[in-house]
Amino acid sequence: MTIKIAVLPGDGIGPEIVAEALKVLDCLRSDFGLAVETEHALIGGAAYDAHGTPFPKETLELCRAADSILLGAVGGPKWEPLDYSLRPERGLLGLRSELELFSNLRPAVLYPQLVSASTLKPEVVAGLDIMIVRELTGGIYFGKPRGRRINEDGEREGYNTLVYSESEIRRIAHSAFQIARKRNRRLCSIDKANVLECTELWREVVIEVGKDYPDVALSHMYVDNAAMQLVRNPKQFDVMLTDNMFGDILSDCAAMLTGSIGMLPSASLAESGKGMYEPIHGSAPDIAGRGIANPIATILSLAMMLRYSFDEAVSAERIEKAVQTALDQGFRTADIVSEGTVEVGTAAMGDAIVTALRAV
Ligand code: IPM
Ligand code: MG
């Protein structure tokens, strides 16, 4: 059976980094016999420019028909003046929501080669291996009512709604507990239960779900403390369970512990196991088109795809090993360069990883 992958490069550095992941995929196809075909579609600002919408119907249809989706990044200053409904981000959020990709896995792993690239002391981050499980289709990102209005005093007002149903909390909690079972069996659920009723319910439901997983040690932490603990002593965490917005914020923070936000992949999974895979970083308009972006997060996202959607753990490990080999050989993009290593561009980094993959 041939695997069908929908490829959505998106905006900014998206096309550059996706091109490198596709080189890796080509290598798996030609050298390791992986049966896979790809089809490209537009999303985000690129789709808006071509079709007047960031989320064209054809893109949704292609993604529905595909076995899996590889996405680069969306957004950029060019589209910021547009109405919210037309912004590039609506394309990405629409896809997450339409395909019910509620379970977002964001592994923050520090490769030993990058210990000195982190802004934190080596002893704080060496050996770091955290999995953030972020709820992705609910919470304040999607809650209604939302919008802008003029209030009674004639002032402009903006408002959003933080809302979670019990079943939404339950299903993401199950995801997190199951992942904790495959790791070190420690789960820390993040909330703001001292202030927000919605997250008080979050804590309650997580505790209820936890009764099914007596072998997993469950703890709870307020989000402000969690942000502090991530930079104070990040290795205390194994799996972190978060709502949509807290996960967005904490995963950028966790990414920096690994040396660069350019290192963190992600998987967004539906109940069916169908997934979308993308780096957690954005479209980085400031460096777009310069060939200097780090393609590793996207290449590692491809590895996650093979592992989670296609049960191809061996291919996934091959990719991860190849990334390590390229790092061992001293290749670094600008975001992770340090003394004694060689700075290379996006394409050269991709090539180094492909060469390493061939040699596995
Ligand atoms: C992420 C991004 C997105 C998010 C944006 C681009 C909508 O920051 O995947 O973390 O906020 O979820
Ligand atoms: Mg984010």
Side-chain angles (χ1 to χ4, degrees):
M1 206 193 74
T2 303
I3 298 170
K4 287 200 183 78
I5 301 177
V7 179
L8 315 180
D11 309 319
I13 59 170
E16 300 166 48
I17 52 178
V18 165
E20 300 314 309
L22 292 179
K23 279 185 196 166
V24 171
L25 194 62
D26 274 340
C27 174
L28 288 175
R29 187 166 26 206
S30 60
D31 291 33
F32 299 95
L34 188 74
V36 53
E37 60 187 46
T38 57
E39 197 169 329
H40 282 61
L42 294 171
I43 188 120
Y48 175 79
D49 288 347
H51 301 297
T53 163
F55 190 28
K57 253 208 200 86
E58 308 83 74
T59 300
L60 175 59
E61 272 156 27
L62 178 72
C63 291
R64 275 199 207 286
D67 297 308
S68 191
I69 303 151
L70 181 69
L71 185 132
V74 297
K78 179 177 170 193
W79 302 285
E80 268 162 27
L82 292 175
D83 184 77
Y84 263 81
S85 62
L86 295 174
R87 296 237 186 121
E89 290 75 8
R90 297 322 302 176
L92 176 57
L93 296 171
L95 208 46
R96 288 174 178 172
S97 170
E98 286 291 331
L99 299 180
E100 286 193 74
L101 304 168
F102 70 94
S103 179
N104 183 215
L105 315 185
R106 301 190 157 193
V109 175
L110 176 65
Y111 287 94
Q113 299 88 345
L114 295 185
V115 170
S116 62
S118 175
T119 44
L120 273 76
K121 291 188 194 123
E123 62 269 28
V124 176
V125 289
L128 181 89
D129 183 353
I130 298 174
M131 177 68 91
I132 296 180
V133 179
R134 171 188 177 196
E135 199 292 325
L136 203 60
T137 52
I140 200 163
Y141 271 50
F142 294 95
K144 288 188 179 128
R146 62 184 297 157
R148 294 173 58 139
R149 61 191 167 207
I150 304 291
N151 72 13
E152 287 164 1
D153 301 324
E155 254 195 301
R156 286 174 299 165
E157 206 169 66
Y159 54 100
N160 291 88
T161 303
L162 173 59
V163 55
Y164 271 110
S165 69
E166 206 177 325
S167 58
E168 284 178 304
I169 303 170
R170 215 172 277 287
R171 66 178 180 176
I172 191 66
H174 277 292
S175 289
F177 277 107
Q178 279 158 21
I179 284 163
R181 267 196 175 153
K182 292 189 188 147
R183 296 173 45 102
N184 293 321
R185 295 174 188 258
R186 285 185 293 115
L187 177 63
C188 183
S189 172
I190 309 303
D191 60 46
K192 189 73 186 171
N194 50 343
V195 178
L196 305 171
E197 289 85 345
C198 179
T199 74
E200 185 185 36
L201 176 69
W202 176 280
R203 188 179 287 215
E204 230 169 82
V205 175
V206 171
I207 291 171
E208 287 163 21
V209 173
K211 300 213 168 92
D212 292 348
Y213 303 85
D215 50 319
V216 175
L218 173 64
S219 60
H220 306 272
M221 201 179 271
Y222 296 142
V223 63
D224 49 350
N225 185 23
M228 180 182 74
Q229 295 299 333
L230 264 180
V231 287
R232 193 186 77 88
N233 175 21
K235 282 186 272 182
Q236 71 186 281
F237 296 112
D238 177 21
V239 180
M240 298 175 90
L241 167 62
T242 74
D243 78 355
N244 205 341
M245 184 159 74
F246 296 161
D248 179 46
I249 298 167
L250 294 179
S251 61
D252 269 28
C253 181
M256 235 13 245
L257 307 175
T258 71
S260 164
I261 195 163
M263 294 297 298
L264 229 78
S266 83
S268 308
L269 305 172
E271 206 89 68
S272 64
K274 181 164 183 152
M276 176 159 80
Y277 298 81
E278 53 171 315
I280 78 143
H281 59 70
S283 57
D286 53 322
I287 59 164
R290 290 169 54 197
I292 60 169
N294 185 348
I296 293 180
T298 315
I299 290 170
L300 291 174
S301 297
L302 182 63
M304 286 189 90
M305 180 192 292
L306 293 166
R307 176 173 291 122
Y308 288 100
S309 281
F310 305 127
D311 242 347
E312 288 273 352
V314 174
S315 303
E317 274 159 33
R318 276 197 188 115
I319 295 175
E320 287 156 359
K321 267 217 188 88
V323 167
Q324 295 233 33
T325 305
L327 293 173
D328 280 335
Q329 291 166 340
F331 295 108
R332 300 283 190 278
T333 42
D335 55 319
I336 48 175
V337 76
S338 60
E339 231 182 271
T341 62
V342 190
E343 184 171 334
V344 295
T346 310
M349 187 54 130
D351 291 341
I353 293 168
V354 169
T355 305
L357 189 59
R358 292 227 155 89
V360 172

